[in-house]
Amino acid sequence: MRSSLCSLLFFFLTPAFAAVVPYHLVIDTKEVNFSGRERTALAINDRIPGPTLRFRVGDTAEIVVENRLAKEDMSLHWHGLLVPNAQDGVPYLTSPPIAPGESRTFRFPLRHAGTYWFHSHTGLQEQRGVYGSIVVEPDGVDSVKADRDYVVVLSDWTDERPKEVMRTLMRGSEWYGIEKGNAQSLFGAWRKGALRDYVDRERSRMPAMDVSDVAYDAFLLNGAEQQDLPARPGERIRLRIINAGASSYFYLHSASGPLTVVATDGMDVEPVEIPRILIGMAETYDVLFTVPSSGRWEFRATAQDNSGHSSLFIGPDGAALTKAASLPSPELYSMDDMLVGALDEGESIDLPRPPAPYPHLRSRTTTDVAPEPGAGTRTLELRLTGDMRRYLWSINGRTLAEDSTIPVREGEVLRLKMINDTMMHHPMHLHGHFFRLLNGAGDHAPLKHTVDVPPMGTRTIEFLADEYGDWLFHCHLLYHMDAGMARILSYRAAEDAEHKPEFDPNLDNPWFYFAQGMVLNNMTMGKVMAMTGREDFYATWDYGFGHDHHDEYEADVGWSHYIDPNLSAGLGYRLTNEHHAENRAFANVSYRLPYLVASRLELDSEGDVRLALGKEIPITQRLSIDGDLHYDTGSGWEWAIGASFVLTKELSLAAHYNSDHGAGVGVGFRF
């Protein structure tokens, strides 16, 4: 009600000369080739990225969004713009999804200047190309003087279907690390002189670190891997840089020297020179670039994991090109490199791989906020939690499906202290508000809508709760949000404890299906599984050929509940013809021991107990060995040792010795 009244007042009080600015955006499929292979993407007005929407403060946007997809709903969210709650474009929560063949008109006032963007908030469509840029000019004289103004939209592209990427991540596959050449191994640790770090990490039960979840086929700048920007020597260029990547941070750097930051997330900051800028997904930075007296100069956006980059070449056509220096690769075996952001107080600005430049950002105007009378200031601690192997991402240990709502009292100042308990960066975005990033700048703390929370680091933000409605708050790493790292900040829930905001059913524990195993000349073994949220439903088999002149088998069907990264429990039923064994029901508990040793304790309906231990050791990125040992009070000891060499995402060469079935060679498979 209050938000609607504010919007109506804005319309009536807007000067008569303010324009209604119309756009028509059509979402449809498009054949693209970003990596040498033809793929079907999604495009806006037949473009990736979509067109730049340009407005002036005081204008009214009138945007018709037409869905021409054959079978998919879609949506558009106006990222960073303060819009009425019903115009925010989050399906089910604030706006109905746009069904195939339907259109929807969004109409809202432009309340503030800056660089923003728009993107789909349906499923994983953003990864497939549904994004574009927004520029809002001030209603008076722009405080930033530039000869040219240029929008730079960064993104990442995969030839895989995004749902297959998510499925790969959910099954804990190491394939993307192998594909990028940065999977950890014993040999790799030895080459880096980091065996002690490797052993210490495993002793602490921490899986191998990685900078980025996905191996991308291309990194794009305005839809291409490189682009020319003709400019004359001495010209001052304003680059409005938007990270529209689904799951890639970028380092921004220029061959000409430091970049002058003049705005972040659309809000002006005092100009500051930064040699290299780490930009998280959904952040924007406006920077100034002065063209040197001669030559062309490269502005480069390098993926944080150093697996690729895109480039902008600025200067006169045909002039000699000066390339930007390549950045060193991340040091994955040492936690020190990953923890720089957690410890940063501004001294790390000159590092080759610096953290986000937040200590150096200072608003041009005071941003201090005070609660309305009687409302007060409240602090919430939010721990960013997750498990890279299972790919379950959460806040305070619970996903959006498990705990969706944070009540917000209108008029209060809400302070969110975010503590990252993981070894991944998380760019946290709040819809419908700008927040103050408490970075030591006092009354001049910068305003932002998205903030990077580095591994094991802490960020504190605060805002005045004056935008009534239900607003999404989530990690803008697309696959983390899809896996559950989100909440809904609800003003309505503070007034009505029974209020439960709706959200996209795609985020409510979707199902994933997997199969993996080995086929050898002496046996076959494997597992098929269906996963949803914390629940696994599975069937396993172990079938030996011709052992003691007859075949032996053991097959389980069961259910397992994931409790935390180290603990799960379940029930099942076993079918077997092994000697001294018979069909039986069982209950088990699985626990991850130090050195990442998998253990399982099982009690069955015949009164037998089984204890099992297992461990896989990557020797190189593609070669690994594994061992299993179990003791059953009914059938006795059984052990196995094997080796596997990864050929493709789906296939491996395998050699295996089992104490019951002997030695065999063959292939491993993963689907």
Side-chain angles (χ1 to χ4, degrees):
M1 179 66 177
R2 300 169 184 81
S3 182
S4 299
L5 288 173
C6 289
S7 298
L8 287 172
L9 284 172
F10 185 92
F11 278 117
F12 285 121
L13 296 177
T14 298
F17 57 81
V20 174
V21 182
Y23 284 98
H24 191 148
L25 304 180
V26 177
I27 287 76
D28 205 346
T29 57
K30 178 181 175 66
E31 297 304 309
V32 299
N33 187 337
F34 293 128
S35 64
R37 289 171 286 191
E38 294 287 336
R39 289 293 186 268
T40 300
L42 303 183
I44 305 174
N45 294 0
D46 203 40
R47 297 172 52 181
I48 300 175
T52 298
L53 310 185
R54 292 187 176 271
F55 306 97
R56 185 171 294 277
V57 172
D59 289 345
T60 295
E62 188 173 86
I63 307 170
V64 177
V65 181
E66 181 182 351
N67 181 5
R68 291 189 186 171
L69 302 178
K71 298 180 180 179
E72 295 182 58
D73 291 347
M74 59 82 52
S75 62
L76 282 182
H77 162 60
W78 319 105
H79 188 109
L81 293 182
L82 297 179
V83 299
N85 187 246
Q87 303 295 302
D88 194 46
V90 179
Y92 300 94
L93 179 64
T94 64
S95 313
I98 305 172
E102 291 188 356
S103 298
R104 178 159 297 115
T105 300
F106 292 84
R107 186 180 174 95
F108 50 82
L110 279 305
R111 299 163 53 184
H112 50 90
T115 303
Y116 306 98
W117 65 299
F118 59 97
H119 60 86
S120 172
H121 234 295
T122 298
L124 303 173
Q125 290 176 350
E126 181 190 319
Q127 177 75 90
R128 298 165 66 193
V130 187
Y131 52 84
S133 53
I134 300 172
V135 174
V136 184
E137 301 286 353
D139 57 357
V141 177
D142 197 329
S143 60
V144 177
K145 304 298 182 185
D147 299 301
R148 298 177 187 247
D149 191 302
Y150 195 63
V151 175
V152 179
V153 180
L154 307 175
S155 59
D156 41 31
W157 172 260
T158 172
D159 284 337
E160 286 190 290
R161 292 181 299 109
K163 287 185 179 179
E164 175 59 22
V165 172
M166 190 66 185
R167 199 177 73 89
T168 302
L169 295 170
M170 291 295 292
R171 69 178 172 86
S173 171
E174 297 294 332
W175 172 248
Y176 291 137
I178 294 171
E179 196 173 13
K180 291 185 292 185
N182 62 11
Q184 289 197 30
S185 66
L186 274 177
F187 181 69
W190 173 76
R191 287 184 61 190
K192 292 287 187 178
L195 277 174
R196 180 182 292 274
D197 294 294
Y198 183 93
V199 172
D200 288 346
R201 174 187 60 74
E202 293 225 327
R203 182 171 60 240
S204 65
R205 301 187 295 186
M206 183 181 294
M209 294 178 286
D210 195 5
V211 176
S212 176
D213 293 349
V214 183
Y216 281 103
D217 295 290
F219 296 100
L220 307 177
L221 183 155
N222 293 337
E225 292 189 300
Q226 61 185 51
Q227 189 173 42
D228 290 310
L229 175 61
R232 292 188 294 272
E235 283 189 322
R236 200 180 198 197
I237 312 297
R238 179 177 187 161
L239 301 178
R240 299 176 180 266
I241 305 161
I242 300 163
N243 185 354
S247 67
S248 297
Y249 279 68
F250 292 95
Y251 283 109
L252 311 176
H253 48 122
S254 170
S256 64
L259 297 164
T260 301
V261 176
V262 294
T264 178
D265 289 357
M267 297 288 104
D268 289 346
V269 295
E270 293 181 0
V272 56
E273 289 190 348
I274 308 288
R276 295 179 182 87
I277 302 167
L278 179 64
I279 181 172
M281 288 75 81
E283 289 189 293
T284 75
Y285 281 93
D286 288 24
V287 304
L288 295 180
F289 175 102
T290 301
V291 182
S293 58
S294 64
R296 286 191 307 155
W297 298 78
E298 181 185 17
F299 166 87
R300 182 180 291 188
T302 302
Q304 188 188 17
D305 64 2
N306 226 26
S307 60
H309 67 269
S310 56
S311 299
L312 185 65
F313 302 129
I314 305 175
D317 286 337
L321 175 65
T322 301
K323 289 190 174 183
S326 297
L327 298 184
S329 295
E331 181 49 74
L332 297 175
Y333 291 98
S334 171
M335 289 182 62
D336 293 344
D337 192 60
M338 298 290 287
L339 296 178
V340 168
L343 306 173
D344 182 42
E345 294 182 356
E347 297 87 352
S348 57
I349 190 171
D350 292 320
L351 290 177
R353 298 176 54 85
Y358 298 155
H360 309 281
L361 301 181
R362 181 179 172 86
S363 172
R364 290 187 181 183
T365 59
T366 180
T367 59
D368 198 23
V369 292
E372 295 179 3
T377 297
R378 182 164 57 107
T379 300
L380 290 180
E381 183 176 285
L382 302 178
R383 305 196 80 92
L384 309 183
T385 46
D387 182 354
M388 187 65 188
R389 284 197 167 181
R390 185 179 180 82
Y391 217 75
L392 190 73
W393 297 96
S394 52
I395 295 175
N396 292 338
R398 299 179 67 79
T399 65
L400 176 67
E402 295 170 327
D403 184 7
S404 65
T405 308
I406 297 175
V408 178
R409 296 191 293 269
E410 189 169 20
E412 71 176 338
V413 169
L414 185 60
R415 186 171 295 156
L416 302 179
K417 181 180 181 181
M418 291 174 282
I419 303 170
N420 188 352
D421 288 336
T422 79
M423 290 301 292
M424 294 289 295
H425 287 259
H426 299 293
M428 302 302 294
H429 169 52
L430 175 60
H431 287 226
H433 304 75
F434 283 95
F435 52 72
R436 303 177 73 239
L437 172 59
L438 303 186
N439 65 341
D443 292 348
H444 288 259
L447 294 176
K448 289 181 64 63
H449 53 61
T450 306
V451 62
D452 166 51
V453 188
M456 298 298 171
T458 299
R459 299 280 190 224
T460 302
I461 64 174
E462 68 176 14
F463 62 94
L464 175 64
D466 61 351
E467 297 284 345
Y468 192 84
D470 290 344
W471 302 98
L472 193 60
F473 172 65
H474 63 95
C475 179
H476 223 284
L477 199 161
L478 182 61
Y479 300 101
H480 287 188
M481 182 189 73
D482 201 60
M485 187 175 271
R487 286 293 186 272
I488 297 166
L489 271 62
S490 175
Y491 289 69
R492 296 184 183 94
E495 299 176 343
D496 177 7
E498 301 300 317
H499 174 66
K500 297 296 181 185
E502 287 188 73
F503 56 86
D504 191 337
N506 290 311
L507 301 176
D508 190 6
N509 294 335
W511 287 84
F512 295 90
Y513 304 93
F514 315 98
Q516 63 182 38
M518 294 188 299
V519 179
L520 311 176
N521 65 294
N522 68 323
M523 65 177 296
T524 177
M525 60 188 299
K527 183 177 187 177
V528 294
M529 183 169 66
M531 174 192 294
T532 179
R534 295 177 183 267
E535 315 308 324
D536 294 345
F537 300 91
Y538 64 87
T540 65
W541 72 91
D542 184 328
Y543 189 94
F545 311 132
H547 177 69
D548 290 338
H549 308 292
H550 74 278
D551 296 346
E552 282 190 349
Y553 67 83
E554 181 177 281
D556 294 351
V557 292
W559 155 80
S560 177
H561 176 72
Y562 173 95
I563 299 170
D564 63 34
N566 296 318
L567 182 64
S568 61
L571 300 170
Y573 192 82
R574 177 167 299 132
L575 302 169
T576 183
N577 71 344
E578 291 185 354
H579 188 55
H580 296 309
E582 58 188 68
N583 300 344
R584 62 193 65 198
F586 60 84
N588 62 30
V589 174
S590 298
Y591 187 70
R592 186 164 66 186
L593 297 169
Y595 298 100
L596 299 179
V597 174
S599 70
R600 187 177 76 254
L601 179 64
E602 186 176 287
L603 174 65
D604 66 39
S605 56
E606 299 299 314
D608 289 322
V609 175
R610 177 177 292 189
L611 176 64
L613 299 173
K615 169 70 176 172
E616 181 178 11
I617 302 173
I619 304 301
T620 68
Q621 292 195 22
R622 291 181 180 265
L623 176 65
S624 63
I625 61 173
D626 61 89
D628 293 282
L629 172 68
H630 76 242
Y631 177 74
D632 190 299
T633 56
S635 56
W637 291 95
E638 183 177 346
W639 59 274
I641 188 169
S644 176
F645 185 84
V646 175
L647 297 174
T648 69
K649 181 179 177 181
E650 294 82 17
L651 295 175
S652 301
L653 297 177
H656 191 77
Y657 182 86
N658 182 278
S659 59
D660 284 354
H661 308 307
V665 295
V667 296
F669 61 86
R670 298 165 295 277
F671 298 105

